[in-house]
Amino acid sequence: MEETNLSQSYRVAILGATGAVGAELLELLHSRSFPISNLKLLASERSAGTTLPFGGEMLPVEAVSARSFDNVDLVLASAGGSTSKFWAPQAVAAGAVVIDNSSAFRMDATVPLVVPEVNPQAAAAHRGIIANPNCTTILMAVAVWPLHKVKPVQRIVVATYQSASGAGARAMEEMKAQARAILQGETPKTDIFPYPLAFNLFPHNTPINDLGYCEEEMKMVNETRKIFGTDEIKITATCVRVPVLRAHSEAINLEFAEPFSAIEAREILKQASGVKLVEDWQANYFPMPVEASGKDEVLVGRIRQDISHPCGLEMWLSGDQIRKGAALNAVQIAELLAQKNLLRTQAAAASN
């Protein structure tokens, strides 16, 4: 694990601490030795009074309130868009920097949308809030950016295979219960998902626009362009929920202005930050979500020429949605801010 080597320590709050991403944030802050002087766990009133483990201790969960962000330097938020829209501005007003995992601020022109392996420089422009991209966007950006730097991508066609974890801890439990019910000959119950996910799949169930694209697909289109810093890339996406517990996969077709050999692409990705090349052509062994689960890296493989287009390249990836697709990316942004003295905090101001 990478470590943040700093003399300054920070007062950190996790908003949405009891969720799947919140649990991962706790583990990563500890394992990566983020310099914390005080850690506050925040959630809804129904979770107040519970405790969560951190570094051998059990920390209490508090109900978020107007005073929750007093004497807090950094807020890692993963509690949904409406919650972030309400509380993030209050946290900033109290003197904290917010790294938000929801979609609330991603397309706000004044808010940086950051993947540290791609556009770390964007973080410097923050005005108190930095947005964490959508999970599928993060995974694709980490894999495509190293190639885009060598030869700009003109068009991306992507199909996603999204696990239950993308809908949270309750969705993961729902799929398990559905699988047990089906195996016992019972009718599976649905609550989080509109249809049974166990032994099934369906197009992503976010709202569909007039063009027939769902919200999840448009996130990939718009967020990728913002992160890459260009509106010139043509992007189309088909997002599908699949009966996988954790870690998303993506089939990506890239089109360039000139041929891009699979051999060259493979060598570039071998050296790319945040990427692990997984390929054994003889064994037909490539990235799988079961092996990506719990891993920091995005597993990339099955890199091959597109036989339908002379300038086309195909790749396949799997990446942990909870980890790199959410919590890890947020912690990496926090590390970046601290290392580059971009974390504007009360503590930093007091030390000047």
Side-chain angles (χ1 to χ4, degrees):
M1 292 289 184
E2 296 179 7
E3 293 188 357
T4 305
N5 184 18
L6 295 166
S7 57
Q8 175 74 58
S9 59
Y10 300 94
R11 298 164 295 186
V12 179
I14 298 178
L15 178 59
T18 56
V21 175
E24 204 75 13
L25 285 168
L26 282 167
E27 191 278 322
L28 287 164
L29 288 171
H30 177 66
S31 65
R32 295 173 72 92
S33 301
F34 190 83
I36 298 173
S37 60
N38 184 67
L39 181 60
K40 185 180 291 189
L41 307 185
L42 305 173
S44 63
E45 287 188 7
R46 68 175 179 270
S47 297
T50 60
T51 58
L52 294 172
F54 179 75
E57 299 180 62
M58 296 300 294
L59 301 183
V61 177
E62 305 173 23
V64 61
S65 71
R67 302 304 301 272
S68 293
F69 307 106
D70 292 350
N71 301 311
V72 169
D73 303 315
L74 172 67
V75 177
L76 298 171
S78 186
S82 60
T83 301
S84 288
K85 284 181 180 179
F86 185 81
W87 291 113
Q90 296 189 49
V92 173
V97 174
V98 178
I99 300 173
D100 182 49
N101 196 58
S102 79
S103 61
F105 304 102
R106 289 174 185 160
M107 298 314 298
D108 186 324
T110 67
V111 175
L113 185 65
V114 177
V115 177
E117 293 90 346
V118 178
N119 63 335
Q121 71 287 347
H126 81 78
R127 300 180 184 179
I129 300 175
I130 295 177
N132 216 29
N134 191 49
C135 50
T136 50
T137 303
I138 291 174
L139 301 179
M140 184 172 72
V142 169
V144 173
W145 178 253
L147 305 179
H148 179 74
K149 286 194 299 181
V150 176
K151 296 180 182 179
V153 176
Q154 293 191 331
R155 184 169 185 253
I156 302 174
V157 180
V158 57
T160 69
Y161 304 75
Q162 297 181 221
S163 62
S165 64
R170 290 176 59 211
M172 296 165 74
E173 293 305 314
E174 177 172 289
M175 192 183 78
K176 290 179 185 178
Q178 290 173 349
R180 288 191 293 267
I182 291 170
L183 291 173
Q184 293 170 4
E186 301 171 0
T187 301
K189 297 179 180 179
T190 60
D191 180 26
I192 307 301
F193 294 118
Y195 318 107
L197 184 58
F199 304 105
N200 191 29
L201 58 81
F202 45 83
H204 204 281
N205 56 291
T206 45
I208 296 176
N209 66 18
D210 293 340
L211 298 175
Y213 282 74
C214 73
E215 188 176 275
E216 187 82 357
E217 291 158 352
M218 293 311 300
K219 287 178 183 178
M220 296 194 76
V221 174
N222 296 324
E223 293 177 19
T224 301
R225 288 172 175 165
K226 182 174 178 178
I227 295 163
F228 280 27
T230 176
D231 290 328
E232 299 302 315
I233 303 176
K234 297 180 176 67
I235 305 172
T236 184
T238 300
C239 294
V240 180
R241 189 73 75 184
V242 297
V244 171
L245 193 62
R246 176 165 172 162
H248 294 349
S249 298
E250 301 180 16
I252 303 173
N253 179 280
L254 304 173
E255 184 181 321
F256 302 88
E258 58 185 90
F260 201 140
S261 79
I263 294 173
E264 182 183 1
R266 194 170 289 114
E267 290 303 313
I268 291 168
L269 290 170
K270 279 182 181 179
Q271 307 300 321
S273 177
V275 171
K276 181 179 180 182
L277 189 66
V278 177
E279 287 189 327
D280 184 338
W281 290 87
Q282 294 300 317
N284 201 5
Y285 170 70
F286 304 106
M288 294 180 282
V290 69
E291 295 190 348
S293 297
K295 299 293 196 318
D296 289 349
E297 303 89 355
V298 178
L299 309 185
V300 181
R302 205 160 185 244
I303 302 164
R304 65 196 193 279
Q305 302 297 150
D306 176 355
I307 60 172
S308 72
H309 196 290
C311 302
L313 200 62
E314 300 268 7
M315 67 166 64
W316 169 261
L317 67 78
S318 293
D320 191 319
Q321 176 276 331
I322 300 175
R323 206 165 179 95
K324 180 54 184 172
L328 176 60
N329 200 74
V331 172
Q332 287 175 314
I333 293 171
E335 293 170 345
L336 173 68
L337 295 177
Q339 290 164 350
K340 302 296 184 182
N341 294 318
L342 296 172
L343 189 53
R344 298 183 318 184
T345 64
Q346 296 169 358
S351 66
N352 290 335

